[in-house]
Amino acid sequence: MKKERLNNFINLMEENNIYQSIITSTPSVFYFLNEWIEPGERLLALYINLSGEIKLIINEMFKVTSVDKNLMLTYSDSDNPINILANVLIDGKTIGIDEKMQAGFLLELLNLRHSFSFKNISPLIAKLRMIKDDEEINYMKFSSEINDKTMGKVINVIPEMLSERLLAKAIKNIFEREGADNVSFEPIVAYGANSSNPHHVPDSTNIKDGDAVVLDIGCIKNHYCSDMTRTVFFGNPINTFKKIYEIVLEANLKAIDSVKPGVKACEVDKVAREVITKHGYGDYFIHRTGHGVGIEIHEMPYISSNSDVVLEPGMIFSVEPGIYLPNIGGVRIEDLVLVTKKGCKILNHYPKDFTIV
Ligand SMILES: [Mn+2]
């Protein structure tokens, strides 16, 4: 159990007049218990209240080691876990609900406890999770180290892997060999015109002369995610690619340069967007500049034009500007950065020079 994190959360509950909370998402339960529990469709609920009472409601077949036996309320497949949960709740006190709680469970609970007032606690947990402690920072660095090594090996095998799907499979194998526990998302491999879609799903498209090759990859190690994008070119790319590559690189570098405590997330987005707009490609930068990364691949803070989050030391997020030319191709360059006391530290070290493979 992570006592300090639990206490920080209890303080936030108090500030927000929430007497009791039910945390149900696996990543958030992991954040507080230091144990990864995947119950599938079954209910997993970590109950906490301001008196410091803690209960874990879980199906009996899951083996849990992070929580004392007398704090566990186990149920069998023939029990209704919502009845157990409802009995734990203290009458008349506001209940904090994790927005990831399955709607079916919540509806059942509402039927039993319709007189209660409910509040969404996910923004409070997100606020805690976006500031990484030293242990988390070390895990994040290690995950990105594996990502850097993998990227190097992937770029070397591009000419051997004909289709996007074959390269995506190779990426997963390389991650495994480099010691990753899993991928943090399905690798994005996009050749040629496909690279103008930021979320292209690898298909049977084969690589051909002149293609832009977007590689957006990340792994999970010790439950912490990495995420990096590099764009390289195959054969003889058109001059436009060289031009937009340098613009995206300038946007990536200048945005990273702007990251420091006290700056708002929207200001980092603005720096990246202004570089691309100044060169006439503003309409082709079609997504936000970045997102927080941690136990989950997308979390707070979001680096977008409408995000007022003020950057603080310990935040880790991506800086990933891009230019996407329909039917031609796209360029995206992405690094993870850690906000430090004076500025930021880049967690990815794979080079960003214009590269032809
Ligand atoms: Mn990303």
Side-chain angles (χ1 to χ4, degrees), residues 216 227 229 291 293 297-298 318 320 334:
D216 187 348
D227 188 4
T229 306
H291 55 88
V293 181
I297 186 65
H298 291 148
S318 69
E320 49 180 308
E334 173 183 29

Side-chain angles (χ1 to χ4, degrees), residues 181-290:
D181 298 328
N182 205 340
V183 287
S184 47
F185 56 93
E186 287 299 314
I188 296 175
V189 176
Y191 295 157
N194 291 344
S195 61
S196 62
N197 171 6
H199 280 129
H200 175 70
V201 175
D203 61 25
S204 59
T205 303
N206 286 341
I207 201 163
K208 61 180 190 312
D209 185 53
D211 275 353
V213 176
V214 169
L215 303 165
D216 187 348
I217 68 173
C219 70
I220 301 174
K221 182 70 182 176
N222 303 309
H223 301 292
Y224 283 84
C225 296
S226 51
D227 188 4
M228 167 174 52
T229 306
R230 291 294 181 263
T231 303
V232 297
F233 301 89
F234 187 66
N236 302 287
I238 52 171
N239 288 334
T240 306
F241 279 149
K242 169 94 178 149
K243 185 177 157 201
I244 65 172
Y245 189 89
E246 296 305 333
I247 297 166
V248 172
L249 182 58
E250 185 188 337
N252 166 281
L253 294 172
K254 288 205 167 136
I256 290 173
D257 231 36
S258 74
V259 173
K260 60 175 185 222
V263 167
K264 282 184 185 172
C266 59
E267 292 172 310
V268 176
D269 181 84
K270 196 171 170 215
V271 170
R273 214 161 289 282
E274 274 179 356
V275 170
I276 291 174
T277 303
K278 168 186 88 186
H279 290 285
Y281 289 93
D283 289 344
Y284 302 96
F285 178 18
I286 51 179
H287 53 69
R288 64 191 174 210
T289 295

